[in-house]
Amino acid sequence: MIQFQSERMENATNIVSVSWGDHLVFGEGNGRLDSYEALEERMIRWRDDLGATIIQWRTPTSKLNGRHYKARGYPRTIEERQAVELDFSHIVPQMAHELKMRAYLYVSIFDEGRPLLPKKIREVSYHNAMHGQHISWQSDFSRRHPEYAITDRSGKIRQWGVLCLAYPEVRRHLRQRFERLLDGTDFDGLFVCLRSQSRPADFADQYGFNDPIRRDYLRLYDRDIRKEDFDIQLWRDLMGEYLTGFLGELRRDLDLEKLRLSVGCARGDVLGPPLGNTTLQWREWIQQGIIDELVINQNSSQCPSMWHHLWPMHRGNGYLQNYIDGYNLPQLNEHMTGNYAPALRSNMTTKFYIARQWDEPSKSEEEALLSIPGVSGLVFSSFRFDNPEAVTKGNWVA
């Protein structure tokens, strides 16, 4: 059984990441977080046992504008398990403040879902029946606007779930969605997660050839990325600029409401699996004061709650850096002191956190990470802490 240290982490300013949908569907007892009393009991434990001062609250897909699909004969629907009457978007920040904690709304920008695939594809495209083999969800926006999904060089093959930020319409829609989710609540900020559950690219530079990217590259470098040879690193950097520009727009929006902006991404300088080699301009985010907190070590390949591996048959190749196998990445301590710490010194207001949702609890390892100069805290999974028996059983279907 999973074991977390029971004593409070002294002087810790950690984060607890709460995937509320996972709690509602697979949690047990108070670990479902389906009542005011359950939430209060667990939130106190997060504060006292995990040293949490910030909560990242991820709203389940049933609360977003989208559509759930299930294959014929499949006995369970996600939305049925996620149905609760309480409006937790108001309760969570209020309770957090009463406990002297901050609460951020957790949102994704590369995880718009997908239509339910045909049976013959489902049978060979998933590792098991535990993660979306016979069910799926897709946002209304991506369903109505398939032209905004990121495309390959032919312009015909799309990576479902991943919107292209080169479109002003996409950036505007996401900003309006987040504004709607935050409206009337007392959240302290927005946590933008760059993880994605989308089917990975077959090779890392497969996607990123939408019309606005093509036009911008042609204007800047006089090459047609659809028809001519081109400098592939300039193209990767260009896509990174769209992400940086979008975060800058969010920063201005949030400044108007005096809210904070946090970003979670993979370790390294590229988005990584399943999204490609798009440049992560995290140094610019820090230097320009775009973000208040940076969380690294995010992992799109594995569920942070039950640790099932997602899409292991389709992980792709050709990544400049790959957190799955550690390719071209230094050890974490070395990476922190040699790369991240110098950048953080350029803007001392940005806080730095290391995700631990995909690591077994270890007091010695956690204390060693917290001792690294520049590290403000660690990020833990609420589901794994609150539901040790469900984790042990590993019963995702439940």
Side-chain angles (χ1 to χ4, degrees), residues 215-227:
R215 289 194 299 267
D216 286 347
Y217 196 97
L218 182 63
R219 173 179 54 83
L220 291 169
Y221 306 113
D222 197 30
R223 305 292 291 180
D224 187 335
I225 59 175
R226 290 258 190 95
K227 298 180 178 180

Side-chain angles (χ1 to χ4, degrees), residues 341-352:
L344 288 164
R345 285 195 292 269
S346 69
N347 185 340
M348 300 298 291
T349 63
T350 301
K351 303 298 183 183
F352 183 85

Side-chain angles (χ1 to χ4, degrees), residues 253-271:
D253 290 345
L254 295 173
D255 279 346
L256 295 175
E257 303 298 329
K258 298 182 180 180
L259 299 176
R260 298 173 68 86
L261 176 60
S262 298
V263 174
C265 58
R267 183 160 65 96
D269 297 319
V270 299
L271 277 176

Side-chain angles (χ1 to χ4, degrees), residues 306-342:
M306 296 290 278
W307 283 11
H308 295 306
H309 289 272
L310 315 181
W311 301 100
M313 298 165 62
H314 304 280
R315 283 175 172 166
N317 53 51
Y319 286 92
L320 298 178
Q321 296 173 322
N322 194 324
Y323 59 81
I324 297 175
D325 57 16
Y327 173 73
N328 206 22
L329 287 169
Q331 292 296 315
L332 178 57
N333 288 14
E334 178 186 346
H335 205 175
M336 179 60 209
T337 56
N339 295 81
Y340 287 101

Side-chain angles (χ1 to χ4, degrees), residues 19-222:
S19 181
W20 191 33
D22 288 353
H23 281 269
L24 291 175
V25 176
F26 308 110
E28 301 175 350
N30 280 357
R32 285 201 71 216
L33 302 184
D34 58 353
S35 69
Y36 186 96
E37 293 75 18
L39 177 63
E40 182 178 43
E41 188 268 337
R42 299 317 302 170
M43 197 176 287
I44 292 173
R45 291 288 306 278
W46 303 339
R47 182 196 63 185
D48 293 348
D49 292 359
L50 297 179
T53 60
I54 297 175
I55 295 169
Q56 297 168 346
W57 185 264
R58 184 175 189 177
T59 300
T61 55
S62 62
K63 307 300 180 183
L64 302 177
N65 292 329
R67 180 176 177 183
H68 284 88
Y69 301 88
K70 68 171 184 173
R72 180 176 298 180
Y74 196 63
R76 172 177 57 78
T77 59
I78 292 293
E79 57 265 47
E80 291 172 354
R81 297 293 300 272
Q82 292 180 349
V84 290
E85 295 182 359
L86 291 175
D87 186 354
F88 275 58
S89 63
H90 293 278
I91 294 173
V92 169
Q94 177 185 4
M95 188 178 294
H97 296 160
E98 291 173 354
L99 296 173
K100 309 302 181 184
M101 305 164 76
R102 295 203 303 266
Y104 292 3
L105 181 66
Y106 179 134
V107 296
S108 300
I109 60 174
F110 296 131
D111 214 5
E112 296 293 295
R114 59 191 178 275
L116 187 66
L117 299 175
K119 182 178 180 180
K120 64 180 182 180
I121 297 178
R122 297 199 312 272
E123 288 178 343
V124 298
S125 292
Y126 291 81
H127 60 297
N128 55 38
M130 294 184 179
H131 188 270
Q133 182 172 1
H134 301 297
I135 60 174
S136 68
W137 174 87
Q138 187 176 12
S139 71
D140 288 343
F141 182 78
S142 66
R143 185 164 51 86
R144 293 167 182 165
H145 296 284
E147 70 273 18
Y148 292 147
I150 202 159
T151 68
D152 73 345
R153 202 174 186 187
S154 73
K156 298 178 180 178
I157 299 177
R158 299 178 172 88
Q159 188 178 26
W160 289 114
V162 184
L163 298 176
C164 176
L165 294 176
Y167 291 101
E169 297 88 347
V170 168
R171 301 195 303 273
R172 182 168 57 249
H173 168 77
L174 290 173
R175 290 166 58 197
Q176 290 174 346
R177 176 193 294 176
F178 302 158
E179 180 180 357
R180 175 179 59 84
L181 291 172
L182 288 168
D183 186 43
T185 72
D186 289 323
F187 281 106
D188 299 285
L190 199 66
F191 172 67
V192 177
C193 181
L194 304 186
R195 293 179 64 240
S196 176
Q197 299 180 78
S198 300
R199 184 190 189 280
D202 292 327
F203 55 94
D205 295 312
Q206 181 177 2
Y207 298 106
F209 297 88
N210 297 66
D211 288 340
I213 302 176
R214 182 186 188 185
R215 289 194 299 267
D216 286 347
Y217 196 97
L218 182 63
R219 173 179 54 83
L220 291 169
Y221 306 113
D222 197 30

